[in-house]
């Protein structure tokens, strides 16, 4: 069999078929080295290995015991608490509040009797202590370290054997066996690999912090996503006080679960009822506003979708979309135009989800269409109405999952009407007046006159 060797840039991790003096990816000179192939497999089938013990699918195993942090929104996103020996990545923009969240989490775990170490590679211990003071956490027995050398960190973890180690951030860590700058793809990958395999071997849960980077100089958290059990992203607009912790991958719980926090002067506060928060300040009926009853992870969350439609002076009018998929919005505009005869040509369209939440569900289609039509026709949707339903390309409305949960949440928050697709399962009476629509044309006729 022909052996394939590969060449890798030691700085950025780009792979090449043959050696070159300059790396095209990062522009570094003399950084490409030959790498031994990872594994060549057994030389011949005659060579015997050890047989591995096998079990069958029916083997009963207890679910992993979980440690609760006492921060309910964090536990929810983790899938019900921290799983021992798991590896978790927490990504997010710089300054969004990752260090704050994890220091609060460490303190909370520590107060519950879990041994916690917080290793900061970005801040001096004094800085971390200052933050702890500001957050009122100085009494929590958290072990604090300021170090970037992974060999020293692993030696410390091995000696201390904490239940949880927080590494803030993975981009500052470096291994002396890898000849590349800290923050480069190869360092970040190697450091994450060492930490994750240490976690599994020694039964220590690790949380890695990763900054989302805009440029290619520093490796982003994406390069280690595949190595960890759970990937959480901390999102939010810097100007807004709301922060959303979202699980995008979780081997121990549902993905797409969100935890909602509010950044206050005293750190992050939990928001146990996000619907009320996202719908705040809605007393006057206003054109261009529609309330969507959505599902985030396992719970219903109500959000307000806002639209503004204005005459455009541009040859190709603006389509500015925040918090929604812009491809999806273009589709809805096209369906409105082609199936209902409502043109948006020559009109600028601005769409926004209030509060800084991102809505990815197709179920939001009807609320988006409602907000767009309401803005265009200057007719307000009744402020006590929620909308949800998927719009197909034919203009038909399709029922979506968890209809009852969506209606129940709306009823709980004082809404009294709902507009949903025909054939939705609405048996469980929720006290709402539910209107069922077969297609978008019927919806337009009912809500906005002839359209
Ligand atoms: P930080 O946790 O340092 O962000 P990251 O680790 O993601 O880079 O948070 C920094 C921001 O949070 C900073 O702009 C100040 C703000 N903040 C508060 O508003 N209140 C607080 O109690 C704390 C500690 C920080
Ligand atoms: Mg930080």
């Amino acid at each position: 069999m022909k052996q394939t060797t590969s060449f890798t840039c030691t700085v950025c991790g780009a792979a090449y078929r043959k050696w070159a003096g300059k790396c095209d990816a990062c522009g570094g000179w003399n950084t490409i080295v030959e790498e031994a192939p990872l594994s060549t497999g057994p030389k011949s089938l005659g060579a015997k290995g050890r047989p591995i013990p096998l079990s069958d699918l029916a083997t009963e195993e207890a679910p992993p015991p979980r440690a609760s942090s006492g921060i309910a929104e964090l536990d929810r996103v983790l899938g019900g608490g921290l799983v021992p020996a798991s590896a978790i990545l927490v990504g997010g923009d710089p300054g969004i509040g990752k260090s704050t969240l994890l220091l609060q989490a460490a303190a909370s775990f520590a107060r519950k009797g879990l041994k916690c170490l917080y290793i900061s590679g970005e801040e001096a211990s004094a800085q971390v202590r200052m933050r702890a003071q500001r957050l009122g956490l100085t009494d929590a027995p958290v072990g604090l370290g300021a170090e970037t050398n992974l060999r020293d960190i692993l030696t410390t973890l091995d000696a201390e054997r904490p239940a949880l180690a927080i590494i803030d951030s993975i981009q500052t860590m470096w291994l002396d066996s890898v000849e590349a700058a800290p923050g480069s793809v190869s360092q970040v990958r190697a450091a994450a690999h060492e930490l994750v395999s240490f976690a599994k071997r020694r039964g220590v849960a690790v949380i890695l912090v990763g900054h989302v980077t805009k440029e290619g100089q520093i490796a982003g958290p994406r390069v280690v996503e595949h190595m960890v059990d759970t990937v959480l992203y901390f999102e939010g607009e810097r100007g807004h006080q709301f922060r959303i912790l979202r699980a995008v991958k979780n081997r121990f719980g549902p993905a797409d679960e969100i935890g909602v926090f509010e950044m206050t002067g005293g750190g992050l506060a939990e928001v146990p009822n996000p619907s009320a928060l996202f719908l705040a300040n809605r007393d006057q009926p206003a054109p261009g506003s529609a309330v969507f009853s959505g599902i985030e992870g396992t719970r219903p969350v109500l959000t307000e979708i806002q639209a503004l439609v204005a005459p455009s002076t541009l040859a190709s009018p603006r389509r500015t979309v925040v918090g929604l998929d812009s491809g999806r919005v273009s589709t809805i505009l096209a369906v409105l135009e082609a199936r209902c005869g409502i043109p948006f040509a020559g009109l600028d369209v601005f769409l926004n989800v209030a509060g800084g939440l991102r809505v990815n569900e197709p179920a939001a289609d009807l609320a988006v269409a409602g907000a767009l039509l309401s803005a265009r026709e200057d007719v307000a949707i009744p402020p006590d109405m929620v909308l949800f339903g998927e719009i197909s390309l034919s203009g038909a409305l399709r029922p979506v999952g968890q209809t009852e949960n969506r209606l129940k949440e709306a009823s709980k928050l004082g809404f009294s009407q709902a507009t949903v697709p025909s054939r939705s399962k609405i048996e469980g009476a929720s006290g709402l007046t539910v209107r069922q629509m077969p297609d978008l044309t019927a919806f337009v006729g009912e809500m906005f006159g002839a359209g």
Side-chain angles (χ1 to χ4, degrees), residues 204-237:
V204 173
V206 295
I207 299 183
L208 311 177
V209 174
H211 294 294
V212 171
T213 52
K214 295 282 179 284
E215 283 107 45
Q217 290 303 313
I218 300 209
R222 302 214 61 149
V223 304
V224 298
E225 275 186 358
H226 63 282
M227 293 183 203
V228 296
D229 301 308
T230 302
V231 178
L232 310 179
Y233 275 95
F234 207 34
E235 313 169 339
E237 303 287 324

Side-chain angles (χ1 to χ4, degrees), residues 93-100 131 134-135 211 263-267:
D93 288 326
I96 203 75
K98 299 181 294 298
S99 302
T100 308
R131 177 179 293 139
R134 180 173 171 183
L135 301 172
H211 294 294
M263 185 57 102
T264 68

Side-chain angles (χ1 to χ4, degrees), residues 130-317:
M130 233 157 65
R131 177 179 293 139
Q133 235 156 39
R134 180 173 171 183
L135 301 172
L137 304 173
T138 37
D139 62 309
V142 177
L144 207 58
E147 183 54 67
T148 56
N149 182 337
L150 204 63
R151 192 182 292 275
D152 296 347
I153 291 173
L154 288 177
T155 307
T156 311
L157 292 186
D158 211 12
E160 296 281 331
R161 290 296 172 89
L164 170 66
I166 295 168
I167 308 292
D168 188 2
S169 67
I170 189 68
Q171 281 118 334
T172 54
M173 298 296 143
W174 59 279
L175 270 171
D176 44 20
S177 56
V178 177
E179 275 184 44
S184 62
V185 175
S186 25
Q187 277 289 9
V188 168
R189 271 204 199 126
H193 178 76
E194 286 297 327
L195 282 162
V196 172
S197 48
F198 178 86
K200 303 289 165 201
R201 220 168 44 238
R202 294 283 194 259
V204 173
V206 295
I207 299 183
L208 311 177
V209 174
H211 294 294
V212 171
T213 52
K214 295 282 179 284
E215 283 107 45
Q217 290 303 313
I218 300 209
R222 302 214 61 149
V223 304
V224 298
E225 275 186 358
H226 63 282
M227 293 183 203
V228 296
D229 301 308
T230 302
V231 178
L232 310 179
Y233 275 95
F234 207 34
E235 313 169 339
E237 303 287 324
R238 281 270 209 113
H240 280 293
Q241 70 270 42
F242 313 131
R243 299 283 184 273
I244 289 147
L245 187 65
R246 186 186 293 275
V248 298
K249 161 182 167 180
N250 196 350
R251 285 185 185 146
F252 308 115
D256 264 332
E257 191 68 86
I258 63 166
V260 183
F261 297 89
E262 190 176 354
M263 185 57 102
T264 68
L268 290 155
E270 293 180 65
V271 178
N273 187 353
S275 298
L277 181 103
F278 291 127
L279 291 181
N281 309 324
R282 268 181 45 90
D283 355 293
Q284 301 294 324
S289 153
V291 176
F292 167 55
S293 188
I295 301 285
E296 291 289 343
T298 53
R299 77 176 147 182
V301 175
L302 264 57
T303 43
E304 182 188 348
I305 301 202
Q306 303 169 333
L308 176 66
V309 175
S312 179
T313 53
L314 301 169
S316 56

Side-chain angles (χ1 to χ4, degrees), residues 253-386:
D256 264 332
E257 191 68 86
I258 63 166
V260 183
F261 297 89
E262 190 176 354
M263 185 57 102
T264 68
L268 290 155
E270 293 180 65
V271 178
N273 187 353
S275 298
L277 181 103
F278 291 127
L279 291 181
N281 309 324
R282 268 181 45 90
D283 355 293
Q284 301 294 324
S289 153
V291 176
F292 167 55
S293 188
I295 301 285
E296 291 289 343
T298 53
R299 77 176 147 182
V301 175
L302 264 57
T303 43
E304 182 188 348
I305 301 202
Q306 303 169 333
L308 176 66
V309 175
S312 179
T313 53
L314 301 169
S316 56
R318 247 184 255 278
R319 302 286 183 251
T320 306
V321 179
V322 179
L324 293 156
D325 178 42
S326 51
R328 197 80 206 166
V329 172
S330 304
T331 311
I332 296 168
L333 287 170
V335 173
L336 281 170
E337 184 145 2
R339 306 293 178 199
C340 310
I342 301 172
F344 281 84
L347 295 169
D348 283 335
V349 171
F350 303 89
L351 262 174
N352 178 27
V353 180
L357 189 73
R358 251 206 92 77
V359 175
N360 294 321
E361 272 188 292
D365 289 357
L366 189 60
V368 171
L372 285 169
L373 288 163
S374 159
R376 189 183 183 281
E377 307 294 317
D378 205 26
V379 174
I381 293 176
D384 61 346
M385 175 184 281
V386 295

